[in-house]
Amino acid sequence: MNSWINECISKAVAGGELSKPEIQALFSVPVLSEEYFMILSAARSMSTEAAQGLAEVHAQVGINAGPCPRNCAFCSFASCHGIFKTATVLGLEEIIERCDQFQQAGANAIYLMTTANFSFVEFLEIGREVRAALGPEAVLLANTGDFGREGAEALRQAGFQGIYHAVRLREGKVTLIKPETRLRTIRAAQEAGLSIATCVEPVGGEHSVEELTEMTLLTRDMAPIFSGAARRIPIPGTILAREGIVTEAEMALILAVVRLGIGYDVPLNCTHEPNGMGVLAGASILWAEEGSNPRDVQKQTNRGYSVEGCQTILREAHWKVAEGPSPAVLGKR
């Protein structure tokens, strides 16, 4: 047993803030080693305390599909991949119906997702209609392109309580979006009073311990309602598909180290796509999905889990699932 690893784990569990070298050491632990399982156990314990014993299921409706000029190498919508030739948008009634079904099924929060080049004005219009249909008690978040302070205020006025926004691994190198642009959007949202949800993603086998550590520290600095880690799903025929996919066992370590690295102040720890090993290792939030999906080549995704499916995975790992609007987003933990 590595005594320094043990000290790092103990420090995190005790509420201490881990340094960059300490996080790097934890990421470097061999999968299936004794230290590996100690990290997973500690992460589960910390996640339980941070979430006050309540896991959540958030649900996302992808409202459009089509070629996007941002050309994120990991995304099926990238124009350079040529997978989606034309733009399509779900009808408003269908968007509202899917959101309502998610809410009725017990989703704790609803997200509306678009490609980065989708009309912001149209997105706001859709958001207002969804808010009116779901009622004031619903928790609504945006997963859309970058915007400034005026855009953040407009989102809040339209009825959104938060956003999902991430600086992706190798942002600016495998995407045409600068990390600074992502960070400006996050700051604008925070200044407008919107909650921030983020993640270390999309993780691939090519990413180094240094990169994972830097992103963990970055997400910690954002003070989000959740962080965590999500693996890249290979899009057939693309350059990054040659890198393969990180195993769930490897991802369990990564999301567990993220939990130890971000501490107790971040209520939830996510993994994606939903899986039991991640939930056992400290993931306390899963996502249900319908509509378009950047990890799928179909306009209507076949990869998305249902709310009930996510709840089952959480309960199978002995999590209690929150009922009603998200306590994490509403700050009621």
Side-chain angles (χ1 to χ4, degrees):
M1 177 66 191
N2 187 312
S3 60
W4 189 42
I5 295 297
N6 191 39
E7 290 173 8
C8 294
I9 295 171
S10 298
K11 178 180 178 180
V13 172
E17 184 174 279
L18 296 184
S19 66
K20 181 177 178 178
E22 288 169 332
I23 295 172
Q24 287 176 320
L26 295 177
F27 275 129
S28 301
V29 165
V31 172
L32 303 185
S33 65
E34 181 181 0
E35 291 89 350
Y36 169 89
F37 289 106
M38 290 184 66
I39 291 170
L40 267 56
S41 176
R44 175 57 188 263
S45 175
M46 289 181 65
S47 282
T48 301
E49 184 172 340
Q52 297 182 15
L54 290 176
E56 296 190 17
V57 175
H58 293 192
Q60 180 167 272
V61 177
I63 64 180
N64 80 303
C68 177
R70 303 300 187 270
N71 281 336
C72 300
F74 45 78
C75 179
S76 62
F77 300 131
S79 299
C80 61
H81 294 156
I83 295 171
F84 292 94
K85 307 293 186 183
T86 58
T88 59
V89 183
L90 290 178
L92 180 59
E93 289 186 4
E94 185 172 2
I95 294 170
I96 291 174
E97 181 181 1
R98 292 183 183 218
C99 290
D100 181 64
Q101 289 174 346
F102 272 146
Q103 185 168 260
Q104 294 300 321
N108 305 111
I110 307 295
Y111 293 63
L112 298 180
M113 183 194 72
T114 70
T115 55
N117 63 328
F118 189 75
S119 166
F120 192 70
V121 172
E122 186 175 351
F123 183 74
L124 290 173
E125 293 173 354
I126 293 171
R128 283 189 286 267
E129 294 292 339
V130 170
R131 164 57 67 195
L134 295 184
E137 73 283 355
V139 172
L140 187 63
L141 290 92
N143 185 355
T144 190
D146 289 288
F147 49 82
R149 180 59 190 271
E150 289 186 3
E153 290 286 353
L155 284 171
R156 190 174 62 81
Q157 292 295 328
F160 290 94
Q161 289 120 308
I163 65 168
Y164 179 88
H165 217 68
V167 179
R168 265 68 186 210
L169 285 157
R170 301 188 181 179
E171 191 83 78
K173 297 178 181 178
V174 297
T175 76
L176 294 183
I177 304 171
K178 295 180 179 180
E180 295 79 11
T181 301
R182 295 290 198 194
L183 290 171
R184 280 198 298 269
T185 296
I186 290 167
R187 286 194 294 269
Q190 290 173 320
E191 290 169 0
L194 296 171
S195 295
I196 304 299
T198 194
C199 204
V200 177
E201 56 108 339
V203 179
E206 72 277 13
H207 296 125
S208 66
V209 165
E210 173 75 17
E211 289 175 292
L212 295 174
T213 302
E214 289 292 345
M215 294 305 297
T216 300
L217 293 171
L218 185 62
T219 64
R220 183 169 75 186
D221 290 343
M222 292 178 192
I225 56 171
F226 70 76
S227 185
R231 66 178 178 174
R232 185 184 65 247
I233 303 299
I235 305 299
T238 64
I239 293 176
L240 287 181
R242 302 172 190 170
E243 300 289 347
I245 187 169
V246 177
T247 66
E248 289 185 359
E250 292 168 316
M251 282 306 303
L253 174 65
I254 293 170
L255 72 92
V257 174
V258 172
R259 164 49 76 193
L260 269 61
I262 60 177
Y264 291 101
D265 291 339
V266 178
L268 299 175
N269 198 44
C270 80
T271 190
H272 200 63
E273 297 168 327
N275 67 92
M277 187 172 293
V279 171
L280 197 62
S284 52
I285 176 174
L286 297 179
W287 292 44
E289 296 176 283
E290 284 193 6
S292 60
N293 184 325
R295 301 176 316 283
D296 204 339
V297 298
Q298 306 295 324
K299 292 180 181 179
Q300 302 297 314
T301 185
N302 294 317
R303 300 195 64 91
Y305 280 65
S306 66
V307 172
E308 296 88 347
C310 291
Q311 290 173 335
T312 296
I313 292 173
L314 289 163
R315 289 174 180 141
E316 287 287 333
H318 290 214
W319 275 102
K320 181 179 180 181
V321 181
E323 297 181 2
S326 168
V329 178
L330 298 178
K332 294 184 177 180
R333 291 186 181 274

